[in-house]
Amino acid sequence: MRRTLTTLAFMAALAGPALADDSQLVTSVTLADLQRILAEDGYTINSTGDDGAVSVRATDEAGTGLIFNVIGTACEVEGTDGCLGINMQVRYDADGQETLELINDANLMWAATSAWYDDFGVDGNTPTVGITRYVILDGGMTVRNIKDNLLNLLAIAPQAADYIWQVGEWAPEEAN
């Protein structure tokens, strides 16, 4: 029994005390922190570093099926060991059917997120529509709150995308 308890204590120490539980207050995040937060909630990590040193691309395979990005921001601030903000994004390839008016409307309808359009996208070639949730860690935020912000983004993004492309419940009524 003593060996088991010692092993468990050692494993807990290796797991990193910074994010030991959902009530832990976080004032900055590292790449390892973001990976741990995503892994704890069962997201599949696809890659890291695609959008900067502190960035993760992941899939919500058990939920919405969305591929999303979690990106550390304000990472080069003197006196900090990590990033002071987190930009959470769901990106869609634009197809020319979206309009800036619908994107702006989505911003008003889902104020917890920001909808945006980029002519060149992150790859420099593909027009992109994005739905973003940005959190600032100044003063601290619990791990649970970070996870809840991501859940909100993943719930809102498909609704906003349906609105922007006028599909699903937002599809225009067929004229008889």
Short mmCIF file of all heavy atoms in Angstrom, two decimals, residues 28 76-82 84:
data_model
loop_
_atom_site.label_atom_id
_atom_site.label_comp_id
_atom_site.label_asym_id
_atom_site.label_seq_id
_atom_site.Cartn_x
_atom_site.Cartn_y
_atom_site.Cartn_z
N SER A 28 -1.25 32.45 -16.09
CA SER A 28 -0.61 32.34 -17.40
C SER A 28 -0.59 30.86 -17.77
O SER A 28 -0.78 30.00 -16.91
CB SER A 28 0.83 32.90 -17.37
OG SER A 28 1.65 32.12 -16.52
N GLU A 76 5.25 37.00 -24.59
CA GLU A 76 6.59 37.58 -24.46
C GLU A 76 6.62 38.71 -23.45
O GLU A 76 7.46 39.60 -23.53
CB GLU A 76 7.06 38.08 -25.84
CG GLU A 76 7.09 37.03 -26.92
CD GLU A 76 8.08 35.92 -26.62
OE1 GLU A 76 9.15 36.19 -26.05
OE2 GLU A 76 7.77 34.75 -26.95
N VAL A 77 5.71 38.68 -22.49
CA VAL A 77 5.63 39.75 -21.51
C VAL A 77 6.66 39.51 -20.41
O VAL A 77 6.72 38.42 -19.84
CB VAL A 77 4.20 39.83 -20.91
CG1 VAL A 77 4.12 40.90 -19.84
CG2 VAL A 77 3.19 40.09 -22.02
N GLU A 78 7.46 40.53 -20.15
CA GLU A 78 8.51 40.41 -19.14
C GLU A 78 7.89 40.12 -17.77
O GLU A 78 6.86 40.68 -17.40
CB GLU A 78 9.31 41.71 -19.07
CG GLU A 78 10.53 41.63 -18.19
CD GLU A 78 11.36 42.89 -18.26
OE1 GLU A 78 11.42 43.53 -19.33
OE2 GLU A 78 11.95 43.23 -17.23
N GLY A 79 8.51 39.19 -17.06
CA GLY A 79 8.05 38.87 -15.72
C GLY A 79 7.02 37.75 -15.66
O GLY A 79 6.49 37.45 -14.60
N THR A 80 6.71 37.13 -16.82
CA THR A 80 5.78 36.01 -16.82
C THR A 80 6.46 34.77 -17.37
O THR A 80 7.39 34.85 -18.16
CB THR A 80 4.52 36.30 -17.67
OG1 THR A 80 4.92 36.47 -19.03
CG2 THR A 80 3.79 37.54 -17.19
N ASP A 81 5.96 33.64 -16.93
CA ASP A 81 6.52 32.37 -17.38
C ASP A 81 5.72 31.75 -18.52
O ASP A 81 6.09 30.72 -19.04
CB ASP A 81 6.57 31.37 -16.22
CG ASP A 81 7.57 31.79 -15.17
OD1 ASP A 81 8.55 32.47 -15.51
OD2 ASP A 81 7.35 31.43 -14.00
N GLY A 82 4.61 32.35 -18.89
CA GLY A 82 3.77 31.77 -19.93
C GLY A 82 3.04 32.86 -20.68
O GLY A 82 3.49 34.00 -20.76
N LEU A 84 -0.35 35.24 -21.26
CA LEU A 84 -1.34 35.91 -20.42
C LEU A 84 -2.75 35.86 -21.00
O LEU A 84 -3.69 36.33 -20.36
CB LEU A 84 -0.93 37.37 -20.19
CG LEU A 84 0.41 37.57 -19.50
CD1 LEU A 84 0.74 39.06 -19.41
CD2 LEU A 84 0.41 36.93 -18.13
#
